[in-house]
Amino acid sequence: MRRLIALFAISALFFAACGNDDDSGDETPAEATAAAEEPTPASTPAPVDVSPEVEEPEADDPEPAPIDEPTPAPVEEPTPIPIPTAEPLEPPTPIDFSNPAFSSADKLTTAGLGSMFFGMTPDEASEALPTLWTGGPEDGTPRCYLLAPANGPSGVVVTIFNSSIERVDITNSAITTRSGASVGSTEAQLHELFGERLVVSPYADGGGNSIQYVPVDESDVNYRVIFETDGATVTSMRAGRLPTVAPARPCT
């Protein structure tokens, strides 16, 4: 038994010695081992970029549309202010009151008397004659009133209806119609002058007649010349437009 143990021990020593000789070629040189054991140098840290990040637009995003600048409005030139001249205005020509507004040269017709025509305003007639008027709305209603020329003659009265001259009444024998009829003419003379164009309407009391001259022209269908008589001669006459001329007294 002791012999087996001794033999096993010798065998073990022998194999141990052989193993050391085989491994000699695989051993790492001392220098290599020392090099491997040197510490790895620390890497230098990369610099940190502290600049602000710029957000890059995505490739699929459309470009923003350009903003249209508003077109400035054209500057208007200021309107020059007219400078008043120092020249005085011409005063109106004074009316010569020694001359009457109407005379025997002015004839009564269905259109008017002389240069005064039905449809004129009082101001227009005043310039055409010329004259100034007496009377006014205080002598009647604002819609219908009477005027008379300040420079005469007497016996001429103008009726204003709705702001225009619509009628003239005459009792002055110096003023005649174009055919020559006037205050003082006889009924017989009227019939000789106008014939069938006269329409006679007797007064209800039998004291005279109202005799109308009716124009034949269609343009004058609304105009009349009317003679009032005492049954023999003309006491007054008037002319104008219907309906203002129809009543015996104006503004009634």
Side-chain angles (χ1 to χ4, degrees):
M1 184 66 181
R2 292 180 178 176
R3 290 179 66 185
L4 289 173
I5 294 171
L7 182 58
F8 179 78
I10 292 170
S11 299
L13 291 174
F14 175 78
F15 283 113
C18 291
N20 290 336
D21 291 339
D22 293 337
D23 293 336
S24 61
D26 295 334
E27 289 182 0
T28 303
E31 295 179 0
T33 304
E37 293 178 356
E38 291 181 2
T40 303
S43 60
T44 304
V48 179
D49 188 1
V50 296
S51 60
E53 294 183 0
V54 178
E55 185 176 352
E56 296 292 336
E58 296 182 4
D60 295 335
D61 291 346
E63 295 184 0
I67 300 175
D68 294 335
E69 294 292 335
T71 304
V75 179
E76 296 183 358
E77 294 292 334
T79 303
I81 300 175
I83 301 174
T85 61
E87 297 179 2
L89 297 176
E90 294 184 4
T93 303
I95 297 174
D96 184 5
F97 285 97
S98 63
N99 295 323
F102 302 103
S103 68
S104 59
D106 298 307
K107 303 303 180 182
L108 181 68
T109 67
T110 55
L113 174 60
S115 55
M116 181 189 74
F117 300 99
F118 302 124
M120 279 184 169
T121 65
D123 289 342
E124 291 171 342
S126 178
E127 293 180 2
L129 293 176
T131 191
L132 294 178
W133 299 107
T134 61
E138 64 272 15
D139 297 331
T141 63
R143 187 180 183 189
C144 186
Y145 57 92
L146 308 180
L147 297 177
N151 51 335
S154 60
V156 177
V157 177
V158 174
T159 299
I160 310 301
F161 184 73
N162 284 345
S163 302
S164 64
I165 297 173
E166 296 293 319
R167 165 174 170 163
V168 58
D169 286 70
I170 297 173
T171 56
N172 190 310
S173 60
I175 297 176
T176 69
T177 67
R178 188 174 296 170
S179 301
S182 66
V183 173
S185 296
T186 64
E187 289 189 1
Q189 290 174 326
L190 294 181
H191 286 282
E192 289 178 2
L193 292 172
F194 305 112
E196 295 180 354
R197 286 174 287 180
L198 294 180
V199 176
V200 180
S201 300
Y203 296 159
D205 60 3
N209 298 299
S210 179
I211 303 176
Q212 294 190 34
Y213 168 80
V214 181
V216 294
D217 295 338
E218 292 184 2
S219 59
D220 295 333
V221 68
N222 291 324
Y223 294 80
R224 297 287 188 274
V225 176
I226 302 176
F227 303 92
E228 301 293 341
T229 76
D230 58 5
T233 60
V234 176
T235 57
S236 68
M237 62 182 182
R238 64 185 181 272
R241 295 196 291 192
L242 295 173
T244 309
V245 72
R249 298 181 62 183
C251 293
T252 57

